[in-house]
Amino acid sequence: MNNKTLVENLRTINDWPIKGIAFRDVTTLFKNPACIRIICDETYDLYKDNGITKIVGIESRGFVITSALAYRLNAGVALCRKPGKLPWETIKESYEKEYGVDTIEMHKDAIEENDIVLIHDDLLATGGTMKAACDLVRKFNPKKIYCNFIIELINEGLNGRDAFDKDIEITSLLKL
C-alpha cells in the first residue's frame, strides 16, 4: 500500500538503539491525526470481513492502534506485555530479538477457543516479537490467527516473514 502520507510522516533514526540499526519511529505517525486515521482505515479494510473477535496489542507501540481498531471491528482487546506488568495469572513466551532476548506475557484468560485473533504491532523486522506473540496466542487454541504491522522492513535483508508458520496470514501497511 505504502500510503504517501504515512511514508512522509515516518521518522528514521540511524544507529538507535544500537549502531547499525535504522530505527523506524512510528511516534511521528501517532502524533498526526491524519496518519492515525489512515492506519486505522486501511487496517480495518484489510480485516472487516474476517470475523475478528480479539485484537492483541504488543507492548508498547502495538497498543496505540489496537483499541481504535477493536472499536471499528467490534472486537475485544488483549494485551501482550513484558513480564510483571499484568496483575493476574499469565502465560509467557520467550524469544530472541535482533539485539537481545525478551519475554512476553498475556493473562491466561485473554483469549478463548472461539476467538479469531488479529495480533497487531508497529514493525516487522526479524519477526521475533510477533512470532513469540503468535506462539503465545496459539496456546489458547483460537480458531484463526492473523498478524498485522504498520511497517514491514523488506529491503534490509531481515526476512521477518520467514519466521512464521505458513498458516499465519501477514499484512503490513508500509513495506520499506
Side-chain angles (χ1 to χ4, degrees):
M1 295 180 181
N2 281 10
N3 181 285
K4 182 180 177 184
T5 301
L6 296 181
V7 172
E8 289 174 350
N9 282 276
L10 181 64
R11 174 172 42 210
T12 300
I13 302 168
N14 291 315
D15 296 324
W16 197 88
I18 62 173
K19 188 168 180 60
I21 300 291
F23 185 81
R24 308 303 175 147
D25 182 13
V26 295
T27 64
T28 53
L29 301 178
F30 296 158
K31 73 179 186 175
N32 183 324
C35 292
I36 293 273
R37 192 169 33 260
I38 291 165
I39 292 166
C40 288
D41 289 348
E42 288 189 4
T43 307
Y44 170 79
D45 286 341
L46 288 169
Y47 292 100
K48 65 185 177 189
D49 298 322
N50 291 36
I52 303 298
T53 58
K54 290 276 174 51
I55 303 178
V56 174
I58 299 177
E59 186 168 349
S60 66
R61 290 177 300 274
F63 292 168
V64 176
I65 299 302
T66 302
S67 292
L69 190 56
Y71 173 79
R72 294 277 316 269
L73 291 169
N74 193 33
V77 171
L79 302 179
C80 188
R81 300 210 61 191
K82 294 178 182 176
K85 301 291 185 178
L86 293 170
W88 194 61
E89 295 177 40
T90 62
I91 59 172
K92 65 176 81 179
E93 187 75 29
S94 294
Y95 64 100
E96 289 189 34
K97 296 181 5 177
E98 55 269 30
Y99 38 84
V101 175
D102 214 342
T103 300
I104 52 175
E105 296 181 335
M106 292 178 68
H107 279 145
K108 72 176 194 174
D109 63 351
I111 295 170
E112 298 171 9
E113 288 185 2
N114 288 330
D115 281 326
I116 298 172
V117 179
L118 171 61
I119 309 173
H120 172 79
D121 204 6
D122 65 325
L123 182 105
L124 173 58
T126 63
T129 305
M130 183 63 86
K131 173 67 166 105
C134 284
D135 291 346
L136 188 55
V137 168
R138 275 194 200 280
K139 292 177 180 180
F140 293 96
N141 298 311
K143 285 184 178 178
K144 178 78 175 157
I145 300 171
Y146 297 93
C147 296
N148 171 260
F149 300 91
I150 298 170
I151 301 165
E152 180 178 351
L153 300 178
I154 59 171
N155 292 326
E156 299 181 23
L158 298 170
N159 304 315
R161 282 182 181 253
D162 294 348
F164 297 90
D165 298 334
K166 300 302 177 207
D167 67 324
I168 302 292
E169 179 183 309
I170 300 168
T171 61
S172 53
L173 303 182
L174 299 175
K175 293 186 179 187
L176 306 173

